Amino acid sequence: MSLDVNTKKLKKNAFRVSKHRGIGASRIRIPGGYCDADVLGMVQDIAKTYGNGFVHLTTRQGFEIEGIRLEDMDEINEKLQPIIELVGINQTDPGTGYPASGTRNISACIGNNVCPFANYNTADLARRIDKEIFPNDLHFKVACTGCSNDCAKARMHDFGIIGMTMPQYDPTRCISCNACVKGCRQLSVGALEMNDNYKIVRNTEKCIGCGVCITKCPTRAWTRSKKKYYKLSIMGRTGKKNPRLGEDWLIWADEDNIVKIIKNTYEFCEKYISPDAPARKEHIGYIIDRAGFETFAEYALKDVEFLPETVVKDRVYWSGIHFDQNNSGK
């Protein structure tokens, strides 16, 4: 094969360039890490026919089929088409394979399809967000997690969506067993106590909406609210210079407004991204640091109308390790 390979084209077609000449890997995006089992058989077929028989399960819940000869790209793209259709990925030109972008696969925990602690269907939300924002060259990372246990490590992402519930208490079903109080104290933040009438009182300011009380109650005196609520953590990141955990910006927010905020942030980044950013990849947190949080919020909150119960922090502050020229290692 000729060594005159257009690596930019390869990467835009979701193929990884490896350290072995003429060999790469085909990247397959699975929003929320949730897919029809038929996808696995298709991935296996491509790996056995065109690759070296190995598949990497990525940290962002996708597949990388290893050992792909870059000269086989066109054939592999045809094989990828049924997977793209099953998963539901946005695609401009069918038959040309996966579009690649700076916006990463939306990752998620298993959600309430399986987990008794999860407060919403994380896969559904991941797929909704993916449809709204993919593909795009800007470097965004989004994760959905079902509850405050944060199994998806949502606070390590630009946008971390954490499921909440507003616990509903029916005193007529309560048998004063204290199971919810003990559970909240041991597994959460201790927001419940029993009053003199042997009924449970919830500290609404302290409660984080995790739902532990619901899972511990034997009589269903505690139930989840019909309305879905979310906590939005923003601008967590890994990386070389200054990794940090995201900080909560919105509490008791709704899904529609969170999706709107994420989409609005693209407009902010288009305006303020550094002209020197390679391949238009710059962490949003760096852009916010340069443009100012108030400027970011002005863009992000455009046309957003919060629920009466939503708590919005006026200002978000981050801490973390900084490795830069002026503050090396501090």
Side-chain angles (χ1 to χ4, degrees):
M1 187 187 78
S2 169
L3 298 181
D4 185 19
V5 176
N6 187 334
T7 56
K8 185 175 181 180
K9 179 182 176 181
L10 291 174
K11 292 176 182 178
K12 290 293 289 183
N13 207 175
F15 282 82
R16 179 191 290 278
V17 178
S18 78
K19 64 181 183 180
H20 301 289
R21 183 176 297 183
I23 301 295
S26 176
R27 295 173 168 182
I28 298 177
R29 182 184 183 94
I30 308 291
Y34 193 78
C35 64
D36 190 301
D38 288 344
V39 169
L40 305 181
M42 297 175 189
V43 170
Q44 179 188 23
D45 179 59
I46 297 172
K48 293 288 188 181
T49 305
Y50 295 94
N52 61 12
F54 285 86
V55 176
H56 174 63
L57 303 181
T58 75
T59 58
R60 297 213 63 80
Q61 300 179 319
F63 299 108
E64 282 198 8
I65 303 175
E66 298 181 9
I68 296 294
R69 294 188 308 166
L70 299 180
E71 62 190 53
D72 293 333
M73 273 183 57
D74 291 341
E75 290 183 43
I76 293 169
N77 283 337
E78 292 180 7
K79 292 286 187 178
L80 289 172
Q81 190 59 36
I83 299 176
I84 292 170
E85 293 174 2
L86 267 177
V87 175
I89 291 294
N90 289 336
Q91 188 183 34
T92 304
D93 191 7
T96 59
Y98 264 77
S101 75
T103 293
R104 300 300 194 247
N105 189 49
I106 315 299
S107 59
C109 71
I110 189 63
N112 68 2
N113 279 320
V114 174
C115 181
F117 297 104
N119 292 309
Y120 72 103
N121 189 313
T122 54
D124 283 351
L125 182 55
R127 284 192 290 261
R128 175 185 175 182
I129 296 172
D130 189 80
K131 279 291 187 184
E132 297 274 5
I133 67 176
F134 181 79
N136 193 292
D137 287 338
L138 293 174
H139 189 88
F140 276 48
K141 291 181 178 178
V142 182
C144 304
T145 197
C147 72
S148 294
N149 286 337
D150 194 10
C151 296
K153 308 297 185 291
R155 285 193 171 88
M156 296 175 69
H157 292 71
D158 298 308
F159 293 101
I161 304 166
I162 302 168
M164 303 178 72
T165 188
M166 193 77 76
Q168 304 295 299
Y169 179 59
D170 181 356
T172 64
R173 298 184 67 91
C174 181
I175 58 173
S176 305
C177 67
N178 228 28
C180 60
V181 176
K182 292 177 182 177
C184 187
R185 183 173 61 246
Q186 294 172 353
L187 301 176
S188 190
V189 296
L192 302 179
E193 62 179 18
M194 184 177 290
N195 66 16
D196 294 338
N197 293 323
Y198 299 99
K199 298 302 179 186
I200 307 302
V201 178
R202 180 173 69 96
N203 184 328
T204 56
E205 292 186 359
K206 195 173 184 180
C207 177
I208 60 173
C210 64
V212 165
C213 53
I214 296 158
T215 65
K216 294 300 180 182
C217 181
T219 63
R220 289 186 58 79
W222 287 106
T223 54
R224 286 185 171 87
S225 53
K226 292 182 179 179
K227 186 182 292 186
K228 302 293 183 184
Y229 293 98
Y230 306 86
K231 185 180 297 182
L232 181 64
S233 168
I234 60 173
M235 305 310 132
R237 63 180 176 230
T238 57
K240 303 178 187 71
K241 283 189 175 181
N242 49 344
R244 69 189 186 192
L245 290 178
E247 293 287 343
D248 295 343
W249 186 22
L250 310 180
I251 304 171
W252 305 111
D254 64 313
E255 178 179 313
D256 289 345
N257 278 326
I258 287 178
V259 173
K260 190 177 295 182
I261 286 169
I262 295 173
K263 292 177 66 178
N264 286 345
T265 302
Y266 279 89
E267 184 178 352
F268 164 78
C269 291
E270 291 280 3
K271 175 71 174 179
Y272 291 100
I273 191 171
S274 170
D276 298 324
R280 291 167 54 77
K281 293 180 182 178
E282 182 180 21
H283 281 289
I284 309 171
Y286 294 148
I287 304 175
I288 293 174
D289 290 344
R290 188 171 57 250
F293 180 83
E294 291 77 9
T295 302
F296 159 70
E298 182 180 348
Y299 274 81
L301 299 181
K302 180 182 177 182
D303 298 326
V304 171
E305 296 182 5
F306 290 117
L307 302 172
E309 55 267 43
T310 300
V311 176
V312 186
K313 291 184 180 179
D314 294 332
R315 189 69 168 79
V316 177
Y317 299 91
W318 294 273
S319 61
I321 303 171
H322 288 257
F323 297 98
D324 54 45
Q325 292 179 350
N326 299 320
N327 192 24
S328 179
K330 296 181 180 180

